[in-house]
Amino acid sequence: MRGIEGALTVLRDVEKGAFAAEALRKIWHNIEPAERKLAATLSYTTLRKLGLWKHLLSRYCKRPIESLNAATTSVLLPGIAGVLELEHFKPGVLVNALVQRVKNIKDADGNTRESALVNAVLHTVMREAPAYVESLRKSTALRDQALAAGVPGWVAAECNADFGMMTAKRLVQLSDTQTFLSLRLSPNVDRAKWIEAYNESQTREDAISPGEKEPAREGIFPGSVRLLSNPYPIDLPRYDNGEIAPASESSIWAIETFLPYLQGNCLLDMCMGRGGKAGQLLSSLHDLKLEGWDLSQTRLNAAQREFKRLGVGDRTTVTHGDARTLVPHTPPSAILLDAPCSGSGTWRRHPEGKWRMTPTKLRHAASLQEELFSRAADLLTPGGVMMYCTCSIFRAENEKVVGAILSRRADLAEIPVRAAGTFPMQKGKPYGAFVYPENPWIDGFYVAIFRKKG
């Protein structure tokens, strides 16, 4: 499979509801090795600013976009993204490949005009769109800056309401920055030796642009590493034996913040997902026994595979079901509630999420978070500790959820989140602590810790 075909396959799966990373992982080994970077880059370039590409299509297409054949639209959007943003691929080659994809499509009158339309739109975009997009970036209006950065207008408005115009514009600008992979090393791994092994490996050949090689570097935490690329994790040195795990530094920070307060050896992870944070907890505390719940059996299966890879599976019990109704096997003295949320802090890495979220869904998410938080507080044993966290930047899912719960119950006392070295956390308003997506290895994240009064 060639790179452009791979990207179109990923985008088609995302349109059907898949996550881009999973769709790409599914076909990764079917794509020619030299073409994998193109497939990944074109997929994510399209998804990150999908709203802008649709706006440009409407602006430069002479036909109403709602009248276009779905197959034509499916090549025009990545085509617009590619000709404007791919730095190491000739636009003409991309245009020709996409024109070929639609050459046999017939319109309502039975004419095969789609290839001419695709060719005309993409060349018009190459000629006229850069100046127009630059004018959006330079505009003083938040809505224009958001459009240029690929941020839905309602999201920019929500940030403005939460933080004010200056911070809203900053968050819009941060959303248009690159992300790279960061790793969490197991406690027994020598970081310097792993970095040396990585820098000597050949796994980065197609992870960065041709001819470019960047070394790994130490992360902000003692057990973390920063890469300057986005290689496929399973291709990295010593992945199979559990020495490393992909994790944003925000996720690492959350668990490092929680660890000092853990007591006893019974922890409940109420919404465990694929087990990333649970794996860090189990790797850090060798006497810890963890019970994990999740609504998705697929995610639980992935978590069990991860625990086996890390060598901690014998200390875990997993249960499929709704955390609002499940009953733990053992009353937990510690609870991790990594609540389902908008994922807005991770939209640079998972851009499909921002086009699926709506203000109504955000309100529903906040309501669910309150239910889960209340349930966690009920289950926690007296004297126990719990952490509520999200990968969201919205106060509706963070401080406002915490405030709503604390206003209804007096048995929870907040434990201030401690600063972690040079990690750029900020105090919540007024509860918990948060971090903005400040650099390529840090996602937006929120953490709040509580002790249940005995």
Side-chain angles (χ1 to χ4, degrees):
M1 184 182 294
R2 304 299 295 269
I4 293 173
E5 181 185 356
L8 295 176
T9 300
V10 169
L11 294 171
R12 183 173 62 248
D13 287 351
V14 169
E15 182 71 21
K16 295 177 181 178
F19 292 100
E22 294 177 350
L24 189 60
R25 188 182 303 120
K26 185 171 66 175
I27 64 170
W28 186 255
H29 292 294
N30 296 329
I31 304 172
E32 296 178 27
E35 299 274 324
R36 288 172 180 167
K37 178 175 174 59
L38 173 60
T41 302
L42 184 56
S43 298
Y44 281 95
T45 296
T46 303
L47 292 169
R48 285 192 181 106
K49 299 183 183 180
L50 189 59
L52 176 61
W53 312 141
K54 289 182 177 179
H55 174 76
L56 295 177
L57 176 56
S58 178
R59 182 181 177 88
Y60 295 114
C61 183
K62 293 182 178 180
R63 284 160 52 184
I65 59 173
E66 60 271 12
S67 71
L68 296 178
N69 185 290
T72 303
T73 303
S74 72
V75 301
L76 276 169
L77 293 174
I80 292 171
V83 298
L84 291 179
E85 297 215 339
L86 288 188
E87 297 180 354
H88 302 285
F89 195 77
K90 293 180 180 179
V93 176
L94 177 63
V95 172
N96 290 338
L98 295 177
V99 165
Q100 291 300 310
R101 299 281 302 189
V102 298
K103 67 178 183 179
N104 294 321
I105 296 177
K106 295 182 180 180
D107 61 18
D109 299 323
N111 300 314
T112 53
R113 301 185 301 167
E114 302 302 281
S115 58
L117 174 70
V118 169
N119 187 64
V121 170
L122 294 182
H123 278 91
T124 302
V125 166
M126 280 192 284
R127 185 174 61 253
E128 300 181 17
Y132 172 67
V133 173
E134 186 61 22
S135 73
L136 293 174
R137 291 195 184 99
K138 292 181 177 179
S139 171
T140 58
L142 177 61
R143 63 179 180 276
D144 290 341
Q145 294 182 16
L147 178 60
V151 175
W154 74 267
V155 172
E158 188 82 14
C159 291
N160 184 26
D162 278 352
F163 309 111
M165 182 64 71
M166 184 178 298
T167 299
K169 288 184 176 181
R170 180 174 171 230
L171 287 170
V172 164
Q173 292 168 357
L174 287 173
S175 74
D176 196 18
T177 56
Q178 193 167 12
T179 61
F180 293 135
L181 184 66
S182 58
L183 304 170
R184 184 188 77 242
L185 305 184
S186 295
N188 61 337
V189 176
D190 185 304
R191 179 166 64 176
K193 290 183 178 179
W194 190 91
I195 290 176
E196 181 181 3
Y198 173 82
N199 291 339
E200 291 178 353
S201 75
Q202 300 300 311
T203 58
R204 295 172 292 118
E205 288 292 344
D206 63 348
I208 320 176
S209 58
E212 202 176 281
K213 288 189 178 181
E214 295 288 350
R217 58 178 64 174
E218 294 182 351
I220 202 167
F221 297 102
S224 65
V225 171
R226 292 176 169 181
L227 306 185
L228 278 84
S229 59
N230 289 292
Y232 197 30
I234 66 173
D235 291 335
L236 294 172
R238 305 174 191 172
Y239 175 87
D240 289 341
N241 63 9
E243 290 193 13
I244 61 169
S248 75
E249 290 189 341
S250 305
S251 178
I252 297 172
W253 163 66
I255 298 304
E256 290 292 327
T257 298
F258 193 33
L259 283 171
Y261 302 105
L262 293 183
Q263 54 187 5
N265 62 356
C266 180
L267 183 139
L268 171 64
D269 189 343
M270 287 182 63
C271 302
M272 187 171 65
R274 294 178 173 273
K277 295 179 183 64
Q280 183 178 346
L281 286 164
L282 290 161
S283 297
S284 300
L285 301 173
H286 298 297
D287 61 345
L288 178 69
K289 294 183 179 179
L290 184 143
E291 181 175 352
W293 298 345
D294 203 88
L295 197 57
S296 166
Q297 185 63 55
T298 300
R299 288 194 292 265
L300 285 179
N301 293 341
Q304 289 180 298
R305 291 192 296 270
E306 177 68 357
F307 297 154
K308 181 178 180 180
R309 187 181 71 84
L310 296 175
V312 298
D314 59 336
R315 293 187 279 127
T316 63
T317 302
V318 302
T319 304
H320 174 230
D322 190 331
R324 293 171 293 182
T325 57
L326 289 175
V327 177
H329 291 90
T330 303
S333 58
I335 293 179
L336 169 61
L337 175 54
D338 184 9
C341 68
S342 64
S344 52
T346 67
W347 281 347
R348 294 183 305 169
R349 299 180 193 278
H350 307 292
E352 63 275 20
K354 60 185 168 184
W355 309 114
R356 295 172 178 171
M357 182 56 55
T358 66
T360 299
K361 289 181 179 179
L362 180 62
R363 290 193 295 271
H364 288 165
S367 178
L368 173 61
Q369 290 150 8
E370 285 191 33
E371 290 186 62
L372 290 168
F373 195 135
S374 182
R375 175 67 171 159
D378 289 341
L379 293 174
L380 188 64
T381 58
V385 293
M386 65 169 285
M387 182 169 77
Y388 173 80
C389 62
T390 75
C391 52
S392 172
I393 61 172
F394 296 134
R395 295 189 71 238
E397 299 183 282
N398 298 334
E399 294 98 330
K400 292 182 180 180
V401 168
V402 172
I405 296 298
L406 295 185
S407 70
R408 298 198 294 266
R409 55 191 310 158
D411 59 344
L412 294 177
E414 184 184 9
I415 300 173
V417 178
R418 297 175 181 172
T422 59
F423 192 77
M425 59 161 272
Q426 302 181 52
K427 190 179 184 307
K429 302 175 182 180
Y431 309 108
F434 67 92
V435 61
Y436 293 140
E438 296 278 358
N439 64 44
W441 305 278
I442 294 177
D443 297 330
F445 217 88
Y446 176 81
V447 166
I449 304 174
F450 304 90
R451 189 179 301 281
K452 188 171 184 179
K453 300 175 184 178

